[in-house]
Amino acid sequence: MRTLTNISAVPYSTFRFNATLSSLHEFSSVAELYSFDTATAPVVLGEGSNTIFMQDLTAPICRFVADSKIVTQLDPQHVLIHVEAGHNWHQLVSWTVEQQFWGIENLALIPGSVGAAPVQNIGAYGVELADSCLYVDFYHWQQRKVQRIAAGRCQFGYRDSVFKHALAGKGIIVAVGLCLSKSASPVLGYKGLDHLPADAAIATVFEQVIAVRSSKLPDPAVLANCGSFFKNPVIAMQQYTALKAKHAAIPGFIQADNTVKVPAAWLIEQQGFKGKNYGDVGCYKLQPLVVVNHGAGTPAQLEQLVTAVQQQVFAVYGIQLEAEVRMLNGAGQAVR
């Protein structure tokens, strides 16, 4: 275990607000977790691509950084990839494409670690982690043991899982099991991929996803951001029908349960926030769903922008936008 004290938060959040972390603990194995004192509930962190530190943090931070992977043949057409939580997600996707293992190629270029992926049930271009996940290995702080949680018990939903609810703060993800296919199964229904041939090669799909994402999303290493800041709201069909009568152009995607997912980016752009800045924090000029820190942004500026966006969208559409990104106070608690 490596422990760092009183360090800058900048390298540990892709939004790069200036803050101080009182203590950060990095674990390279489950064995190292056994001896960790959890008298004070720690904040679990992956690569910081979905976390913003709004204040100096007094709560301890824990990162599980082991990153090995094991491949097991399940049957002639499927493989199990057991991946430790510290592995970089995009590097894993790149490797599966090289191996011709289908299932997560649409999730290319999503920043973060493998361990963070089940928490958010990351998704893009018609694919979610839940589609390939077999299990999640979860270390409980109090029980001091690893529990294997089958995917069916992870309560996966849209950007949601049991790790954000019943198991929040109870432990840390140490590994994920993915079932991938050796047979071609391209998912091409989303805009940006729908022009590809039905028999597109896995590398072609992978490269197109990267091209589309790169064309409209800023690289966190160049322009500080945490990706999509707000969730796409899911509303009742009745509410959507009423909105459609007043706002004919409002897009919506009907879900399996007859609810409707409305693109948050459209709602935000229609209210004039695309490219708008509050000090050094603003909605990205090419994709208003992404909130960026131009370099000298402050938590107060971020709060001002988020409040303005939420209030204006609610006033016009009656839809309450929910932040997807964690904004943490000094005790490690979400401020929204």
Side-chain angles (χ1 to χ4, degrees):
M1 180 178 73
R2 183 175 77 142
T3 298
L4 304 172
T5 58
N6 297 318
I7 59 173
S8 170
V10 172
Y12 298 97
S13 167
T14 57
F15 209 76
R16 298 199 285 276
F17 273 164
N18 287 318
T20 299
L21 308 179
S22 62
S23 63
L24 183 145
H25 310 274
E26 293 184 334
F27 303 89
S28 298
S29 68
V30 172
E32 292 180 350
L33 288 168
Y34 294 143
S35 59
F36 181 64
D37 180 6
T38 55
T40 301
V43 173
V44 173
L45 187 69
E47 295 185 1
S49 59
N50 196 56
T51 299
I52 299 176
F53 299 107
M54 304 293 284
Q55 301 173 351
D56 293 341
L57 201 74
T58 56
I61 290 180
C62 291
R63 300 179 68 221
F64 192 77
V65 297
D67 65 353
S68 69
K69 58 183 179 293
I70 301 171
V71 181
T72 302
Q73 187 82 21
L74 292 178
D75 60 47
Q77 295 303 322
H78 297 88
V79 293
L80 164 65
I81 315 295
H82 177 92
V83 193
E84 289 188 298
H87 203 95
N88 175 268
W89 176 260
H90 178 68
Q91 289 180 7
L92 173 66
V93 176
S94 299
W95 177 82
T96 63
V97 170
E98 291 173 0
Q99 304 303 310
Q100 300 282 304
F101 295 156
W102 290 80
I104 59 174
E105 58 282 349
N106 288 39
L107 305 181
L109 217 60
I110 294 179
S113 65
V114 167
V119 179
Q120 286 288 97
N121 184 23
I122 59 172
Y125 302 104
V127 174
E128 292 182 329
L129 175 85
D131 300 328
S132 299
C133 184
L134 279 183
Y135 59 79
V136 175
D137 285 352
F138 186 81
Y139 177 83
H140 290 262
W141 296 130
Q142 297 306 315
Q143 298 177 18
R144 295 188 182 277
K145 67 177 183 179
V146 174
Q147 174 190 7
R148 176 156 292 181
I149 305 173
R153 296 178 54 228
C154 289
Q155 299 175 20
F156 287 130
Y158 172 62
R159 301 298 179 272
D160 203 14
S161 71
V162 69
F163 308 105
K164 298 178 76 171
H165 300 287
L167 292 179
K170 300 294 180 61
I172 187 169
I173 292 172
V174 296
V176 177
L178 300 172
C179 178
L180 302 182
S181 175
K182 297 169 75 173
S183 300
S185 53
V187 177
L188 308 174
Y190 267 60
K191 184 178 179 181
L193 305 182
D194 51 1
H195 68 284
L196 296 177
D199 60 350
I202 190 170
T204 301
V205 177
F206 172 74
E207 290 163 4
Q208 183 61 22
V209 168
I210 291 175
V212 173
R213 290 184 68 91
S214 299
S215 69
K216 60 182 180 180
L217 301 178
D219 182 348
V222 178
L223 180 59
N225 74 90
C226 284
S228 297
F229 195 91
F230 298 100
K231 294 181 182 179
N232 290 317
V234 179
I235 63 177
M237 177 63 77
Q238 183 179 8
Q239 182 182 2
Y240 179 71
T241 301
L243 281 170
K244 192 75 171 173
K246 293 176 61 178
H247 309 278
I250 187 171
F253 302 94
I254 299 175
Q255 306 300 291
D257 60 357
N258 208 39
T259 57
V260 182
K261 183 184 293 184
V262 179
W266 188 91
L267 301 174
I268 296 168
E269 182 170 355
Q270 293 303 303
Q271 297 310 306
F273 288 101
K274 187 175 183 178
K276 186 173 183 177
N277 296 313
Y278 289 75
D280 236 22
V281 174
C283 290
Y284 186 51
K285 62 183 180 181
L286 298 181
Q287 169 51 278
L289 190 57
V290 176
V291 176
V292 299
N293 173 10
H294 291 287
T298 66
Q301 292 168 354
L302 177 60
E303 286 277 13
Q304 186 181 9
L305 181 146
V306 172
T307 299
V309 168
Q310 289 178 325
Q311 289 182 346
Q312 184 64 21
V313 168
F314 185 79
V316 175
Y317 304 105
I319 293 175
Q320 182 63 53
L321 291 182
E322 181 182 349
E324 184 175 325
V325 176
R326 289 194 305 177
M327 302 163 64
L328 302 182
N329 63 17
Q333 300 168 332
V335 299
R336 284 183 178 270

